[in-house]
Amino acid sequence: MNKKEFVRQAEIIKKQLYKTAYLYLGNEANALDVVDETIYKGYKALWQLREEDYFTTWMTRILINECKKELKRLSRIKCQESLVTKQSEDYDYDQLPLKEAIRSLPTQLKDVVILRYFSGYTLAEAAKALNIPQGTVVTRQRKALKLLKLELGEEE
């Protein structure tokens, strides 16, 4: 893939990358930063892309790694802020219960749910993006849905 083709393909998937990043981070500005960083890193590492057919899953993998780095950075900042100022906890009533339930899932399960239900990936695409077998995606998806039902009080 040449650099012109990279730019064209990146423009096509940019919106999908943003949606995925927003679901991971829950913040528009951070999601935009992560998407920009993902495209930059993908451009720099273009020579590592072996097959053009896997461009979208390759870029998604880079995005997921960048989201995880950003979450770590944000958690360090929150820890530092809490040490500096001990204030009463503010509750954000705009948060949907589903968003909170998804954020509370273990990372492996959250990855599957976000890719499958919010980014529109098929089982095979999610497996490639996460670099795991398709059966593992199915198992994690089933476990995540069960936990979400428990969390949201919809267990039968």
Side-chain angles (χ1 to χ4, degrees):
M1 175 180 283
N2 62 31
K3 294 180 179 188
K4 222 176 215 182
E5 180 66 15
F6 174 88
V7 171
R8 191 181 74 73
Q9 290 290 329
E11 276 301 315
I12 292 170
I13 66 167
K14 199 172 190 177
K15 191 173 189 176
Q16 182 181 8
L17 292 174
Y18 170 75
K19 286 180 185 178
T20 304
Y22 184 78
L23 288 166
Y24 267 94
L25 304 171
N27 180 301
E28 184 179 347
N30 291 340
L32 288 170
D33 288 344
V34 167
V35 170
D36 288 343
E37 187 68 20
T38 298
I39 291 173
Y40 171 73
K41 285 193 174 182
Y43 187 78
K44 279 183 63 176
L46 183 57
W47 61 273
Q48 293 177 335
L49 178 62
R50 294 186 186 126
E51 289 208 32
E52 291 182 30
D53 294 342
Y54 299 129
F55 177 77
T56 302
T57 54
W58 181 69
M59 289 294 288
T60 302
R61 185 74 237 154
I62 295 171
L63 178 83
I64 290 169
N65 289 334
E66 289 303 310
C67 285
K68 288 179 181 178
K69 285 181 191 173
E70 183 66 10
L71 287 171
K72 270 187 185 177
R73 187 186 73 78
L74 291 172
S75 71
R76 282 194 304 268
I77 289 172
K78 284 181 184 177
C79 288
Q80 290 172 354
E81 287 175 354
S82 69
L83 289 175
V84 173
T85 57
K86 282 272 192 186
Q87 295 179 347
S88 64
E89 204 173 313
D90 292 328
Y91 293 100
D92 187 0
Y93 293 105
D94 293 335
Q95 294 295 324
L96 296 173
L98 179 59
K99 272 187 185 177
E100 288 302 313
I102 290 171
R103 284 194 188 121
S104 71
L105 288 174
T107 304
Q108 293 178 337
L109 302 180
K110 181 173 32 174
D111 293 346
V112 171
V113 169
I114 289 173
L115 291 177
R116 289 282 291 129
Y117 296 104
F118 296 98
S119 296
Y121 279 63
T122 64
L123 285 171
E125 292 170 339
K128 285 178 188 168
L130 296 171
N131 200 24
I132 58 176
Q134 192 168 332
T136 305
V137 172
V138 172
T139 303
R140 289 180 183 175
Q141 176 181 309
R142 191 178 309 118
K143 187 181 279 188
L145 292 176
K146 187 175 182 178
L147 288 172
L148 286 173
K149 280 183 180 180
L150 285 172
E151 182 75 24
L152 296 171
E154 296 179 14
E155 190 61 35
E156 298 170 9

